[in-house]
Amino acid sequence: MFDFSKYEDKLKKDIGEKRFNHVLRVKDMALKLNTNIDIEKIKTAALLHDCAKYNEKYFLEKYKKYCEFSDEIIYNKSILHSFIGPIVAKYEYGVDDIEILNAIKYHTTGRENMTDFEKIIFLADACEEKRDYEGVNELRKLAFKDLDAAVLFSLDATIKSLVDRKIIIFPLTIRARNYLLRKKNG
Ligand code: DGI
Ligand code: FE
Ligand code: FE
C-alpha cells in the first residue's frame, strides 16, 4: 500500500504548494466520483497524477533509459508530464500497480477504451472543485451521471480550445474522442 505520509514532503517540494493543493482536490473529486474502485488505488493515482509536472526535463534525463518517447511527446510539455508520470511514480514513489500507472499516464490525453479508473482520474483532474472555465459545471454534473459522456464532453472542450489557440493536438486525444463517439453511436 502507498504510504502517502512518507512522500508528502517530497511531492510538495517537487510540484510546489499550488499544484500540491490541486492534487489534493483531485483526490477529493476522484473519491466522490468513485463507485467501485479500490479507494487506496484511486487516492494514489490522484495524488501522484501530476508528480512529474514542472520537472519534466530533469526526469527525462534521469530516466532516459525508460523514456523511449517520440518527439511528439517530448516537445509537447502538457503531454510529457503525464507520460513521464508513471516512471516517476514507479521509481521515486515505489508504485508498481499497472492500473495506477496507466491512470497517471493517460490523465491528460485519455486513450481509446479507457477503464473506469482512468476515466475517474481524467475527470477528477478536469473538474476538481477549483477548476473554473466555461462548461465546468456542466462537466461536473455529467461526470456523476455518465463517465463516457463526461470524458467525451471534456475532450471536445479541450480539442476546441487547442484549435482556437492554434496548438498541436496529440493524436491520442483525437483517438480517445473518436472511440467514444463510435461507442455512443454504435
Ligand atoms: O496538469 P494539469 O494542468 O492539472 O491538467 P492536464 O494534465 O489535463 O493538462 C491539460 C492541459 O494540456 C490543457 O490545458 C490542454 C493541454 N494540452 C495541450 N496539448 C494537448 C492538451 N491536452 C490534450 N488532451 N491533448 C493535447 O494534445
Ligand atoms: Fe496533468
Ligand atoms: Fe492535474
Side-chain angles (χ1 to χ4, degrees), residues 14-67:
D14 276 8
I15 66 177
E17 186 95 23
K18 252 178 89 175
R19 182 63 46 177
F20 181 80
N21 291 329
H22 158 71
V23 306
L24 295 181
R25 292 191 299 271
V26 172
K27 179 201 63 162
D28 292 341
M29 182 55 78
L31 289 174
K32 283 187 199 164
L33 291 174
N34 184 34
T35 49
N36 58 1
I37 291 144
D38 183 281
I39 289 176
E40 289 305 319
K41 282 173 62 149
I42 285 272
K43 274 196 210 167
T44 305
L47 290 167
L48 294 180
H49 81 278
D50 276 336
C51 68
K53 195 136 178 155
Y54 309 122
N55 291 302
E56 295 92 338
K57 294 284 168 214
Y58 165 76
F59 288 130
L60 190 61
E61 184 57 30
K62 184 169 179 186
Y63 294 112
K64 59 176 172 235
K65 67 176 169 185
Y66 304 119
C67 293

Side-chain angles (χ1 to χ4, degrees), residues 63-156:
Y63 294 112
K64 59 176 172 235
K65 67 176 169 185
Y66 304 119
C67 293
E68 286 173 355
F69 300 135
S70 65
D71 283 358
E72 221 170 1
I73 294 174
I74 290 174
Y75 294 108
N76 188 332
K77 234 180 148 245
S78 310
I79 303 297
L80 185 57
H81 82 281
S82 63
F83 277 77
I84 296 187
I87 296 168
V88 175
K90 182 166 177 174
Y91 294 105
E92 309 241 328
Y93 294 87
V95 174
D96 59 14
D97 183 297
I98 189 67
E99 291 177 349
I100 296 174
L101 299 178
N102 280 336
I104 296 173
K105 185 169 181 179
Y106 298 107
H107 85 264
T108 306
T109 57
R111 65 162 161 172
E112 291 159 289
N113 200 11
M114 291 164 83
T115 61
D116 282 355
F117 187 3
E118 289 164 11
K119 289 174 204 166
I120 286 171
I121 298 300
F122 177 94
L123 289 170
D125 185 30
C127 72
E128 52 95 338
E129 199 188 352
K130 288 234 165 103
R131 287 285 198 207
D132 183 17
Y133 53 84
E134 213 191 308
V136 73
N137 287 326
E138 200 178 339
L139 175 63
R140 232 172 251 134
K141 249 194 256 164
L142 209 50
F144 284 98
K145 247 177 43 194
D146 182 338
L147 292 178
D148 278 349
V151 172
L152 182 58
F153 182 94
S154 176
L155 289 169
D156 276 350

Side-chain angles (χ1 to χ4, degrees), residues 76 157-170:
N76 188 332
T158 300
I159 290 167
K160 278 185 220 161
S161 145
L162 292 170
V163 170
D164 286 347
R165 291 181 290 142
K166 306 238 179 310
I167 294 174
I168 287 172
I169 303 170
F170 191 65

